[in-house]
Amino acid sequence: MKATHSILEILRVSLKLGCTSFGGPVAHLGFFKNEYIDKRKWIDEKTYADIIALCQFLPGPASSQVGIAIGMVRGGVIGGIVSWFGFTIPSVFVLMLFAMLFQATTVGEATWITSLKIVAVAVVAHAVLGLGKKLTPDKPRIAIAIGAAVVMLLYASTIVQIGVIIAAGLLGALLFRSEVEARLVPFTVSISKKLSVAALVAFVLLLVVLPIAAQQLSNSYIDMFDMFFRVGSLVFGGGHVVLPLLEQEIVPTGLLTGDQFLAGYGMAQAVPGPLFTFASYLGMMLEGIAGAVIATVAIFLPSFLLIIGTLPFLSTLRTKKRVQGMLMGVNASVVGILLAAFFHPVFTSAITGGAQFALAILLFALLQFWRVPAWLVVVIGVSIGQFLPYL
């Protein structure tokens, strides 16, 4: 009975966070600290800091992974699932409804869709600048970012993008061993190493088996699960980096148009919770409700497997200099990948004249200098965008 009460408490608190946590990953971590640590004392601040550090090392949505990990500390694996569900489901529902509205709208007559694409320009520019300051603070990492951007602009494809990430990781392991942090706080967690190993094996097997199954079976649902699982396994650097990975999978293959893709990405900025629920919109556009469920589960599943698989090994993993250096290189490369995606498709498909560019500059300034929340920038952008046809 006590365990059931704990699970219900996790659901109640995470659902509250899912309905109110606007502002992106950094803001999410602040909301988590207020609810989980300051108010309820579920874990202490040192443990919270260690969990954040682990999630920064892993691919996937860092804030969602932190919420999953806290749920697991509080209520085991079930607690982690419930914590993720409560934090994620509000934005999933909103984006599914938006996809239904989009499909019922004539794109050529919808100025709000054009406005959302302009919002995406401002948001991605803001993300590139913010990530650049954080992840490329020196010339070697700036060089990695520029190299990644050049390669992606010249030879954009999913295979090339994966190759860029791998190459950056290997280069980082060689270049940044002397710059890693030596003093790290020990971390312990009550998850068996047997379960952790099983989760990591499942993660690797799915990465290998899903593409083979998708090729052999020619089933749209399997194809979708493979695509979103692979993206969720390769995203380093935060939610905005999901944009170029998904764009390479969906737009060039003709599954969705650039307008359909970017309108959903713009709308994703206006909802609370993780940006990865953009996958729910894409799944809804591709295969209806079943597609939304498959896309949402597939893109978040790697996070569950990696959290379960790495928490017991965190203390050892974080002391490995080559691992830290590798991740420094990978993080620098995602800045370049996002920069390339900013040019195409974000900028090239949204900015068609001076009026669009002026609105994008205004929205960027509100984000960058006036610190206006992203959801409010969306509202402002869509409101002003209604007048663009008359300018």
Side-chain angles (χ1 to χ4, degrees):
M1 188 69 180
K2 186 177 180 181
T4 302
H5 178 74
S6 178
I7 294 299
L8 290 175
E9 183 186 20
I10 294 170
L11 177 61
R12 180 176 60 82
V13 178
S14 62
L15 189 60
K16 174 187 174 183
L17 289 166
C19 292
T20 58
S21 296
F22 292 92
V26 175
H28 296 165
L29 296 178
F31 284 112
F32 287 172
K33 182 178 183 298
N34 181 57
E35 289 290 339
Y36 292 140
I37 290 84
D38 297 340
K39 287 186 178 180
R40 291 171 174 81
K41 313 293 184 185
W42 285 1
I43 57 175
D44 59 33
E45 290 196 19
K46 180 176 71 67
T47 302
Y48 184 58
D50 285 346
I51 288 174
I52 292 174
L54 168 66
C55 296
Q56 296 294 336
F57 278 113
L58 298 175
S63 60
S64 293
Q65 290 171 333
V66 170
I68 291 168
I70 292 173
M72 288 183 180
V73 171
R74 181 69 174 173
V77 174
I78 299 299
I81 294 172
V82 169
S83 177
W84 165 82
F85 180 86
F87 183 60
T88 305
I89 203 65
S91 59
V92 168
F93 277 132
V94 172
L95 290 171
M96 287 173 64
L97 290 172
F98 175 74
M100 294 172 64
L101 176 62
F102 189 104
Q103 290 171 326
T105 303
T106 302
V107 175
E109 298 176 356
T111 55
W112 56 269
I113 292 174
T114 300
S115 303
L116 284 172
K117 291 163 59 181
I118 297 171
V119 168
V121 172
V123 169
V124 176
H126 180 255
V128 170
L129 188 60
L131 286 172
K133 288 180 178 179
K134 179 180 178 181
L135 302 179
T136 57
D138 50 44
K139 290 181 179 178
R141 277 177 279 187
I142 291 173
I144 291 174
I146 292 173
V150 170
V151 171
M152 289 304 302
L153 287 168
L154 296 177
Y155 308 103
S157 73
T158 303
I159 299 281
V160 170
Q161 188 159 296
I162 294 171
V164 166
I165 292 172
I166 293 173
L170 295 174
L171 192 58
L174 294 174
L175 293 178
F176 303 126
R177 285 179 295 171
S178 61
E179 300 181 31
V180 299
E181 187 176 351
R183 295 182 179 179
L184 296 169
V185 180
F187 183 89
T188 58
V189 66
S190 57
I191 294 179
S192 71
K193 292 188 176 181
K194 185 176 180 180
L195 178 60
S196 294
V197 171
L200 292 176
V201 169
F203 173 77
V204 174
L205 284 177
L206 285 170
L207 272 180
V208 174
V209 171
L210 281 174
I212 298 173
Q215 187 175 24
Q216 295 296 322
L217 299 177
S218 298
N219 180 283
S220 60
Y221 291 151
I222 295 176
D223 291 345
M224 183 182 296
F225 197 96
D226 167 48
M227 174 175 64
F228 284 99
F229 183 88
R230 189 165 7 98
V231 168
S233 303
L234 295 174
V235 173
F236 288 88
H240 290 289
V241 185
V242 78
L243 171 70
L245 279 169
L246 285 174
E247 190 275 336
Q248 285 296 323
E249 294 280 354
I250 289 174
V251 177
T253 57
L255 293 174
L256 293 178
T257 67
D259 286 348
Q260 292 170 325
F261 183 87
L262 286 175
Y265 184 76
M267 184 61 188
Q269 313 302 319
V271 298
L275 187 57
F276 266 48
T277 53
F278 178 39
S280 308
Y281 162 85
L282 296 175
M284 188 73 179
M285 292 289 289
L286 292 171
E287 294 286 351
I289 294 175
V293 173
I294 290 170
T296 304
V297 171
I299 202 167
F300 282 101
L301 181 57
S303 294
F304 278 96
L305 296 176
L306 289 171
I307 288 292
I308 294 171
T310 56
L311 274 173
F313 304 104
L314 176 58
S315 289
T316 302
L317 184 66
R318 292 175 65 205
T319 60
K320 303 297 182 183
K321 292 184 177 181
R322 288 189 183 276
V323 172
Q324 294 187 51
M326 176 189 70
L327 291 168
M328 290 168 70
V330 169
N331 286 337
S333 74
V334 301
V335 175
I337 292 170
L338 190 56
L339 180 60
F342 170 72
F343 174 72
H344 180 77
V346 176
F347 189 91
T348 55
S349 66
I351 307 303
T352 57
Q356 289 83 6
F357 192 39
L359 178 56
I361 291 173
L362 170 64
L363 299 177
F364 172 79
L366 292 176
L367 283 167
Q368 180 66 30
F369 304 112
W370 279 270
R371 308 298 189 210
V372 175
W375 67 268
L376 184 55
V377 168
V378 173
V379 173
I380 294 170
V382 171
S383 300
I384 296 176
Q386 303 307 305
F387 300 97
L388 288 181
Y390 306 104
L391 297 178

